[in-house]
């Protein structure tokens, strides 16, 4: 089945700096790659997604890049703010497999 | 729409008791998912349904777990008998076709 690996498991960045989280997947048939944000005690919520026919997608301070050949995709958050602190999960949708999560802490 | 609704929000039970978690998906969504989240194992997909039919239950940990979806607006996840290692937050999510999944608030289960 699908195997999704996510790195790093924890990430601390200064407010205003950029944060990058990376995921790799194993199933070349996967064609949908969402990113979810989960704040403490809350439910996961979709923040951005990308389909396999696109290499990059951007939404304000958030962007996702996809390299289908290498089977990896990344989340980029620019100009980080304290409210970006949360756990972020990637997923490769074909097999509905989530990564293990990255706990992002923004240091004021 | 009120979003995905789960009940109860919290459940505390003793080992050996039966536990039933309930979920109402967003109206019109044709996929329903059950997840379990723990610190040790992260977010695990247990089972998902498409048009009320179970498609993949390979994530169900063992025979003590069962899930049903008798109609498009209701699903249950049952654990019988419950064990302390079942303690976790259980999320239900729904989606339209294979797009964005909308998660419910979760049920925090504690088995003592």
């Amino acid at each position: 089945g699908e195997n999704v690996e996510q790195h790093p498991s924890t990430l601390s960045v200064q407010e205003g700096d950029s944060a990058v989280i990376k995921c790799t997947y194993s199933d070349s048939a996967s064609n949908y790659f969402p990113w979810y944000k989960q704040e403490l005690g809350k439910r996961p919520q979709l923040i951005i997604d990308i389909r396999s026919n696109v290499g990059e997608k951007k939404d304000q301070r958030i962007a996702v890049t996809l390299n289908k050949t290498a089977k990896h995709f990344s989340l980029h958050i620019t100009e980080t703010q304290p409210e970006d602190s949360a756990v972020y999960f990637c997923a490769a949708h074909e097999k509905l497999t989530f990564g293990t999560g990255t706990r992002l802490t923004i240091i004021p | 729409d009120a979003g995905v609704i789960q009940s109860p929000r919290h459940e505390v039970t003793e080992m050996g008791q039966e536990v039933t978690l309930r979920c109402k998906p967003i109206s019109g969504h044709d996929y329903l998912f059950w997840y379990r989240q723990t610190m040790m194992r992260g977010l695990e997909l247990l089972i998902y349904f498409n048009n009320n039919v179970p498609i993949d239950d390979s994530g169900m940990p063992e025979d003590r777990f069962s899930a049903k979806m008798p109609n498009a607006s209701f699903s249950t996840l049952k654990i019988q008998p419950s064990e302390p290692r079942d303690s976790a937050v259980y999320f239900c999510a729904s989606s339209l076709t294979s797009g964005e999944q909308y998660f419910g608030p979760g049920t925090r289960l504690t088995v003592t």
Side-chain angles (χ1 to χ4, degrees):
Chain A
E2 177 68 278
N3 182 40
V4 177
E5 295 189 358
Q6 183 172 347
H7 301 280
S9 57
T10 60
L11 178 62
S12 295
V13 301
Q14 291 286 338
E15 181 178 354
D17 288 350
S18 296
V20 180
I21 303 170
K22 299 181 180 180
C23 287
T24 61
Y25 62 98
S26 60
D27 190 343
S28 56
S30 293
N31 58 11
Y32 176 61
F33 306 92
W35 285 90
Y36 285 81
K37 176 183 179 182
Q38 186 177 26
E39 297 177 356
L40 188 62
K42 302 285 184 64
R43 73 194 77 183
Q45 292 190 296
L46 182 78
I47 55 172
I48 195 167
D49 56 10
I50 192 168
R51 295 195 180 270
S52 58
N53 58 345
V54 176
E56 183 175 359
K57 184 176 179 180
K58 192 172 182 179
D59 182 4
Q60 299 182 342
R61 297 186 297 107
I62 295 173
V64 57
T65 58
L66 171 64
N67 183 327
K68 282 221 73 179
T69 302
K71 288 190 280 190
H72 66 71
F73 55 112
S74 300
L75 177 70
H76 304 253
I77 306 174
T78 59
E79 301 173 20
T80 53
Q81 301 169 4
E83 54 264 37
D84 295 330
S85 293
V87 177
Y88 292 81
F89 294 94
C90 64
H93 197 265
E94 188 65 29
K95 298 296 184 184
L96 303 169
T97 304
F98 279 79
T100 49
T102 296
R103 182 174 299 280
L104 175 63
T105 301
I106 307 302
I107 304 167
Chain B
D1 199 313
V4 176
I5 298 173
Q6 289 187 248
S7 65
R9 294 293 307 275
H10 302 273
E11 177 78 37
V12 180
T13 190
E14 292 183 348
M15 182 174 63
Q17 296 298 307
E18 177 180 296
V19 175
T20 299
L21 310 181
R22 297 173 176 79
C23 176
K24 177 178 168 53
I26 292 173
S27 177
H29 281 189
D30 54 354
Y31 281 81
L32 183 140
F33 310 85
W34 282 102
Y35 292 92
R36 177 173 68 179
Q37 187 174 38
T38 62
M39 288 295 292
M40 291 297 295
R41 293 186 298 268
L43 194 59
E44 304 172 277
L45 175 67
L46 301 177
I47 185 172
Y48 76 96
F49 297 82
N50 178 218
N51 292 321
N52 313 338
V53 177
I55 302 302
D56 187 347
D57 65 354
S58 60
M60 296 287 263
E62 46 198 277
D63 293 345
R64 298 184 297 106
F65 286 69
S66 62
K68 295 181 180 180
M69 192 166 186
N71 57 62
S73 59
F74 183 65
S75 177
T76 59
L77 178 68
K78 185 176 293 187
I79 308 172
Q80 166 63 20
S82 58
E83 297 182 3
R85 60 194 169 116
D86 301 331
S87 297
V89 178
Y90 290 81
F91 286 104
C92 174
S94 70
S95 72
L96 186 61
T97 62
S98 58
E100 175 183 358
Q101 294 186 33
Y102 293 82
F103 284 74
T107 295
R108 182 173 297 277
L109 173 65
T110 303
V111 184
T112 60

